[in-house]
C-alpha cells in the first residue's frame, strides 16, 4: 500500500476529477495502519503490552482514552476483527469502484492541462505544409 500510495502521489493521480479516489485510498491506508496496530497489540506478549500501555497514555493525553481502551484485549479484539476489517473492506471496495468509474489517470506528459482530461479524444492537429523548392511555404 505504501508503494502504491507514493506512486500515485508522484503521478498526480488526483487530476481530472479523481480527488475522491485519492482520498479513499489515503483513508484505506490510515484505517489499515490502525488495523495493523490493533493486530500487533493482540499478540499479548511483553512488547505489545508495553506499546499498549504507552498508547493508552497517548490516547488519554489527547482526550479519547475513555472511548478507546487499548489495554482491554476484548475491546481490541472487537475493533480488530469486526469493525476495522469491515471498514478496510468497505473503503477499498469504494476506492476500486471509483477507479472503475473515473478510470486511471494518464501520465503527466500525456496532457497539457486537467481540462484535456475531460475530453474523450484529443483534438487532431494538421501537419505543417511542405516547403517549396526555395524554402518558402505554399
Amino acid at each position: 500500500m505504501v508503494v502504491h500510495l507514493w506512486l500515485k502521489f508522484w503521478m498526480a493521480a488526483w487530476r481530472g476529477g479523481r480527488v475522491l479516489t485519492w482520498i479513499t485510498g489515503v483513508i484505506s491506508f490510515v484505517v489499515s495502519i490502525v488495523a495493523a496496530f490493533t493486530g500487533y497489540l493482540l499478540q499479548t506478549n511483553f512488547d505489545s503490552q508495553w506499546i499498549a500501555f504507552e498508547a493508552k497514555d497517548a490516547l488519554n493525553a489527547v482526550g479519547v482514552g475513555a472511548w478507546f481502551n487499548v489495554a482491554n484485549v476484548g475491546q481490541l479484539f472487537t475493533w480488530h476483527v469486526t469493525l476495522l476489517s469491515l471498514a478496510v473492506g468497505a473503503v477499498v471496495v469504494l476506492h476500486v469502484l471509483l477507479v472503475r468509474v473515473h478510470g486511471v489517470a494518464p501520465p503527466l506528459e500525456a496532457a497539457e492541462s486537467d481540462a484535456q482530461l475531460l475530453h474523450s479524444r484529443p483534438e487532431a492537429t494538421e501537419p505543417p505544409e511542405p516547403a517549396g523548392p526555395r524554402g518558402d511555404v505554399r
Side-chain angles (χ1 to χ4, degrees):
M1 286 180 87
V2 173
V3 171
H4 178 70
L5 187 68
W6 277 109
L7 284 174
K8 295 304 171 186
F9 175 77
W10 292 113
M11 289 175 54
W14 56 81
R15 297 173 290 133
R18 294 176 180 86
V19 174
L20 190 58
T21 306
W22 169 257
I23 290 171
T24 57
V26 171
I27 289 171
S28 68
F29 178 70
V30 170
V31 173
S32 68
I33 293 295
V34 175
F37 175 68
T38 58
Y40 179 76
L41 296 182
L42 281 174
Q43 293 178 4
T44 62
N45 58 13
F46 179 76
D47 291 335
S48 66
Q49 287 179 357
W50 178 269
I51 291 173
F53 280 94
E54 294 296 321
K56 179 183 69 73
D57 292 341
L59 291 173
N60 286 335
V62 296
V64 295
W67 294 284
F68 307 110
N69 183 7
V70 293
N72 183 350
V73 177
Q75 189 179 29
L76 275 180
F77 190 77
T78 302
W79 275 95
H80 180 74
V81 172
T82 307
L83 301 174
L84 292 172
S85 299
L86 290 174
V88 168
V91 175
V92 167
V93 165
L94 178 62
H95 181 71
V96 170
L97 286 174
L98 286 171
V99 170
R100 297 290 296 174
V101 168
H102 295 293
V104 179
L108 288 172
E109 303 86 31
E112 294 176 13
S113 68
D114 286 344
Q116 290 182 352
L117 295 175
L118 299 176
H119 301 295
S120 60
R121 290 187 213 156
E123 296 176 15
T125 58
E126 295 183 26
E129 294 185 28
R134 290 177 280 165
D136 58 344
V137 179
R138 293 185 230 168

